[in-house]
Amino acid sequence: MKPEQPATPMTPESTGLGRLPRIWQWCLLAVLSVILAALLEMAGIPAGLLMGPMVAGALVGMNGGTIRLPRQFFFCVQVVLAMMIAGSMRPDLFATFSSNWPLFLAVILSVIGVSTLCGWTITRMRILPGTTAIWGSSAGAASTMLLMADAYGADARLVAFMQYLRVVFVAGAATMVAHLWVSGTETETATRWFAPVAGLPFLATLAVGIVGGLLGKLLRVPAGAFLVPFAIGSALNVTGMLTIELPQWLLALSFALLGWNIGLSFTRSIIAHARRAFLPTLVSIFVLMAFSGALAVLLIKAAGIDPLTAYLATSPGGLDSIAVIAASSDVDLPFVMALQTARLLIITLIGPVLARFVADRV
């Protein structure tokens, strides 16, 4: 690891907190995260360990902070979250999906269609340059959309801003809905953070997750560091070949690192660059969230899914952030993640083609 540099005055971001040595920026971020996470947890807000660090990261980033979460750490976060969700998968979930697959497919395709329509509308209004809005409005697969947008000549910074802004709003809305829906959240988690862990299952869980994550990156699977260990871990868990064991302190640390990764993306330069795009982006996010809420009502009426599970399953946010919120709430986590994963896979397969098709006809 490289030694800490006191400051980087030649970069445009080196104002405000950017003038501080990076070690002090990290310390400030950690202190802010602990305070905000503790306040949210005491208020009974689900996923406070995610939302607190996310807000802290945004505050540091927008005030000139120059620190970023190393990619190796984010890889570890994806692996841990993938194995956490894999541990909740159960065999009867496939029966639920097979009996309602036309409805679920229609829900997923509807979200993709509305998000594409929002991007097309913003592009037609000439609010953003080129085809930027089409890639930025895509409901999922943010990393894939960033790569495609850059290759297609769109403004990658604006695409990143639109994608991460939607993640923040959707995560915030999902957290508040979960908080309001369930009166009183259990606070027993803190007492179990350092509970004894079965050593062999824990090591096996880490081994499967890390090997799966590396395989996903090697095969260049979109979101492969998450999807491949999730698929392998789910198969092993459902068949009883692996007992997934993860300590609470590791999950809490992963939630915080995920929050930092999202929050620190909001830097001064990106905010200034995206000022003109803020209002139309906000409108498109609210339209997509409202439409997803309507789809949740459809799931409640047609498939008998409980309201909170349906809302989280249809939320157009980041898969990992929704996973943390769902894991912190009293919902059917396997159902939420199955629908979210299906949407991610479909948008990864057809999203770039659909966005390119629309972009060619603007």
Side-chain angles (χ1 to χ4, degrees):
M1 189 174 181
K2 293 182 179 180
E4 298 292 342
Q5 300 298 322
T8 51
M10 291 192 297
T11 63
E13 298 253 338
S14 296
T15 57
L17 295 179
R19 296 171 179 169
L20 295 175
R22 296 191 179 189
I23 184 64
W24 290 112
Q25 294 182 48
W26 281 113
C27 290
L28 177 61
L29 177 61
V31 171
L32 279 176
S33 299
V34 170
I35 294 173
L36 291 173
L39 290 174
L40 292 175
E41 288 288 313
M42 286 189 293
I45 304 295
L49 295 174
L50 166 71
M51 299 304 296
M54 184 190 298
V55 174
L59 290 174
V60 170
M62 289 187 293
N63 283 280
T66 57
I67 52 176
R68 300 292 179 270
L69 188 69
R71 290 185 179 181
Q72 296 88 339
F73 282 83
F74 187 57
F75 170 81
C76 295
V77 169
Q78 290 178 297
V79 166
V80 170
L81 294 182
M83 297 307 293
M84 175 193 75
I85 300 164
S88 69
M89 301 304 286
R90 58 179 193 272
D92 64 328
L93 182 66
F94 302 104
T96 302
F97 264 75
S98 62
S99 60
N100 294 283
W101 72 264
L103 173 63
F104 298 148
L105 183 61
V107 167
I108 293 169
L109 293 178
S110 297
V111 173
I112 295 173
V114 171
S115 66
T116 304
L117 178 61
C118 289
W120 178 84
T121 303
I122 296 174
T123 302
R124 290 289 294 178
M125 294 173 67
R126 299 290 187 264
I127 295 173
L128 295 178
T131 58
T132 298
I134 295 173
W135 306 101
S137 298
S138 175
S143 57
T144 302
M145 291 302 148
L146 285 174
L147 292 174
M148 293 297 296
D150 189 53
Y152 213 75
D155 191 324
R157 286 185 297 172
L158 286 178
V159 172
F161 171 79
M162 295 177 72
Q163 289 282 346
Y164 282 112
L165 187 65
R166 187 182 71 246
V167 170
V168 169
F169 271 88
V170 171
T175 299
M176 292 312 299
V177 168
H179 173 60
L180 296 174
W181 189 265
V182 183
S183 58
T185 314
E186 294 183 3
T187 57
E188 298 175 3
T189 307
T191 61
R192 299 195 303 264
W193 279 5
F194 298 102
V197 178
L200 192 57
F202 175 49
L203 293 176
T205 299
L206 291 182
V208 170
I210 293 172
V211 171
L214 292 174
L215 184 62
K217 291 178 72 68
L218 181 64
L219 297 177
R220 297 187 178 180
V221 177
F226 180 91
L227 288 181
V228 173
F230 168 65
I232 297 174
S234 296
L236 294 176
N237 177 62
V238 168
T239 57
M241 297 177 65
L242 174 68
T243 300
I244 295 180
E245 182 83 22
L246 292 168
Q248 289 296 327
W249 61 264
L250 181 59
L251 293 176
L253 180 61
S254 299
F255 296 169
L257 292 176
L258 175 61
W260 285 355
N261 189 66
I262 297 172
L264 290 172
S265 301
F266 292 90
T267 62
R268 281 185 173 182
S269 63
I270 290 179
I271 297 299
H273 188 61
R275 189 176 300 146
R276 186 165 178 256
F278 183 76
L279 186 57
T281 300
L282 212 55
V283 172
S284 69
I285 290 171
F286 289 152
V287 167
L288 189 57
M289 289 171 62
F291 182 75
S292 298
L295 292 177
V297 174
L298 178 63
L299 283 180
I300 295 167
K301 299 294 184 182
I305 307 299
D306 74 88
L308 186 54
T309 296
Y311 181 80
L312 292 177
T314 57
S315 292
L319 178 65
D320 40 19
S321 57
I322 292 297
V324 174
I325 295 166
S328 306
S329 310
D330 185 18
V331 298
D332 188 343
L333 177 60
F335 181 87
V336 171
M337 296 318 303
L339 200 62
Q340 288 281 345
T341 302
R343 179 170 61 82
L344 177 61
L345 291 174
I346 292 176
I347 192 65
T348 299
L349 291 174
I350 72 172
V353 177
L354 181 62
R356 189 186 296 112
F357 176 82
V358 175
D360 286 337
R361 285 154 181 79
V362 173

